[in-house]
Amino acid sequence: MRNQKNTNSPYSAAVTGGGFLFQETEALLPLLMSADSEALLADEKLNNRVLHINSEKSRSRTIAEIRRRFRQMPISFWNDWQQLSEHDRRIALLLVLLKTYRIIFDFHVKVTMKAWRGISRQVRRDDLVALFNEIGSQDAFVDSWSDATKEKIASAYLTMIRYAGMADAQGNLSPILPEEPRFYATIGEPWFLEACLLDPYEINTLLNS
C-alpha cells in the first residue's frame, strides 16, 4: 500500500480491518463494558475465548476496529443497544459505522442516499470509485491510497449496508424501518432516520404516532 502518513485528513483506511462485524461486536461488548476491559481484551487477543477467530493477527485487527467503534458512542448508547431487537441492533450498528468512519459516512450520504432519491435506486461500485476520485482531488492522504485499499473499503461498505438490510447482493436499495424509531430522537441522532432511506413524511409519522 502506497499510503502516505495521515497528517490532517479526516479520513482513515482503518475500515479495511473489518466489515459489519455484528456478531463479533455482540461477543466483545461485555468485555468492552467491563471495568477490566483492557485486561480482558488483551486476554482475548491471546486466548480467543469469545471471537473464535483462529488467526491472532485477524483477531487483533477485529478487536481494534470494534473498540474504535465502541469508543465513538457513549456507554448509555451501548446499554440501550443491548435492549433492542436483533433487527434494530443491526440498524443501530450502521449508525455507529457512519459516525466512526468519515469515508463510510460520505459513501452513504453522497452515493447511497443520492441514488435512492434518483432513478436507479442502486449503489454501484463505480459510483464509490468516482467518489474516491472526487475526495482524492482535495485530500492528498486519500489520493495516496492504493487501488487495492479503495477496493477493500468499497467492498466493506457494500457489505455493511447489505447486512443492515438496506441493499441486496446487486446493490439494489430499500429503506430499513427501525422497530423503535424514537430511539434515534432520544439519543440525539434523528438525522439517522433519513439515512435509513425514509422519507420526511414517514419520519414525521413514525416520531409522532
Side-chain angles (χ1 to χ4, degrees):
M1 193 164 70
R2 64 174 190 272
N3 296 10
Q4 67 177 40
K5 185 177 180 180
N6 184 357
T7 52
N8 56 5
S9 173
Y11 295 96
S12 165
V15 70
T16 57
F20 199 56
L21 299 179
F22 177 74
Q23 292 176 326
E24 294 85 350
T25 299
E26 293 208 313
L28 277 187
L29 193 56
L31 281 61
L32 288 161
M33 296 187 74
S34 169
D36 245 358
S37 64
E38 291 305 314
L40 290 171
L41 292 172
D43 175 76
E44 178 61 21
K45 285 180 186 178
L46 290 175
N47 297 309
N48 197 26
R49 298 183 194 279
V50 299
L51 285 176
H52 308 301
I53 297 173
N54 290 332
S55 163
E56 184 175 340
K57 183 178 179 181
S58 296
R59 216 162 45 241
S60 295
R61 187 166 60 243
T62 297
I63 290 169
E65 285 316 302
I66 294 176
R67 180 162 49 186
R68 182 194 302 267
R69 300 169 185 187
F70 175 79
R71 289 174 173 172
Q72 184 65 40
M73 309 299 289
I75 291 293
S76 58
F77 169 87
W78 295 108
N79 282 322
D80 293 339
W81 188 79
Q82 294 178 93
Q83 309 307 313
L84 299 172
S85 68
E86 179 176 334
H87 172 82
D88 272 20
R89 291 199 304 277
R90 287 180 178 273
I91 294 173
L93 185 55
L94 180 61
L95 167 65
V96 177
L97 297 169
L98 295 179
K99 290 178 69 69
T100 303
Y101 306 104
R102 173 66 182 273
I103 190 65
I104 298 303
F105 179 87
D106 281 4
F107 277 163
H108 200 74
V109 173
K110 297 180 180 180
V111 178
T112 297
M113 293 176 69
K114 185 177 178 181
W116 178 250
R117 297 187 195 103
I119 297 172
S120 70
R121 296 200 163 185
Q122 181 184 51
V123 176
R124 299 177 303 172
R125 196 175 298 270
D126 288 351
D127 295 328
L128 301 179
V129 172
L131 183 59
F132 271 127
N133 294 335
E134 178 185 328
I135 294 170
S137 69
Q138 301 179 38
D139 189 302
F141 178 59
V142 174
D143 190 50
S144 76
W145 293 351
S146 68
D147 290 341
T149 295
K150 293 175 182 178
E151 176 67 23
K152 285 180 182 178
I153 295 172
S155 293
Y157 173 70
L158 293 171
T159 298
M160 289 169 182
I161 60 172
R162 188 166 71 249
Y163 278 98
M166 186 175 287
D168 64 16
Q170 288 72 45
N172 297 305
L173 297 169
S174 57
I176 47 178
L177 181 61
E179 295 168 3
E180 301 288 345
R182 291 189 187 130
F183 170 68
Y184 298 100
T186 302
I187 64 173
E189 308 284 0
W191 65 271
F192 179 67
L193 293 172
E194 188 176 356
C196 290
L197 307 183
L198 298 172
D199 290 328
Y201 79 89
E202 292 176 299
I203 296 170
N204 186 61
T205 300
L206 287 170
L207 294 180
N208 292 290
S209 61

